[in-house]
Amino acid sequence: MKNSFYPILLAVAAVHAAPALAEAPAASPLLGSWAVDTARLTMPPEARPKSVTITYSDVGGGKWKTNVAVVLPDGKSVEATSTYVPDGSAVPVEGHFEADTAATRLPEPGVMVTALARGGVPGSMRTYTVSADGQTMTETVVYFKAGGVPAMRTNHFSRVR
């Protein structure tokens, strides 16, 4: 009777181990590079940047890196980067003219929420959503106008790679 117990124990262990042997989850559809459609930006054409490219990378260990490269209307390039665990914890942002701190969370596949601040003052909150086909992304920006009046704008991105 003792010997018949071991095959059952091995079968139970194999069933419980099966999820660990399953395929790794698919990479987030956010990962990769995205270029903004500058023609659709809600600012006068002369004030629009020549380009904005956001790249999201999985750098391992549960961490992501965001790199934002902007070519301003005058041709000057600026770049911002941050590396973080996407759990909503605040981290420093280097090189950004709008923010020096960010907190990012991934509430579900294809959705990212980021809060930005500069000098301890809240800036904007941005929600990025990837389309079902994975080729476009929208950015909804929540910010405050003069007098603390809340406002929103939407930016449209296409996948570069």
Side-chain angles (χ1 to χ4, degrees), residues 78-91:
V78 293
E79 194 168 326
T81 60
S82 63
T83 302
Y84 51 92
V85 175
D87 63 0
S89 301
V91 297

Side-chain angles (χ1 to χ4, degrees), residues 56-137:
Y56 301 114
S57 306
D58 182 338
V59 295
K63 291 184 177 182
W64 280 39
K65 179 178 180 180
T66 296
N67 179 276
V68 181
V70 181
V71 178
L72 300 171
D74 65 4
K76 180 181 174 192
S77 294
V78 293
E79 194 168 326
T81 60
S82 63
T83 302
Y84 51 92
V85 175
D87 63 0
S89 301
V91 297
V93 176
E94 296 179 19
H96 200 287
F97 50 90
E98 287 185 49
D100 57 17
T101 307
T104 299
R105 183 175 300 241
L106 303 170
E108 63 182 72
V111 177
M112 173 185 278
V113 179
T114 299
L116 301 174
R118 182 166 187 82
V121 176
S124 63
M125 185 167 71
R126 295 154 188 255
T127 302
Y128 300 90
T129 307
V130 177
S131 62
D133 69 2
Q135 297 306 302
T136 61
M137 178 176 73

Side-chain angles (χ1 to χ4, degrees), residues 28 86 97 122 145 160:
S28 171
F97 50 90
K145 297 196 257 184
V160 177

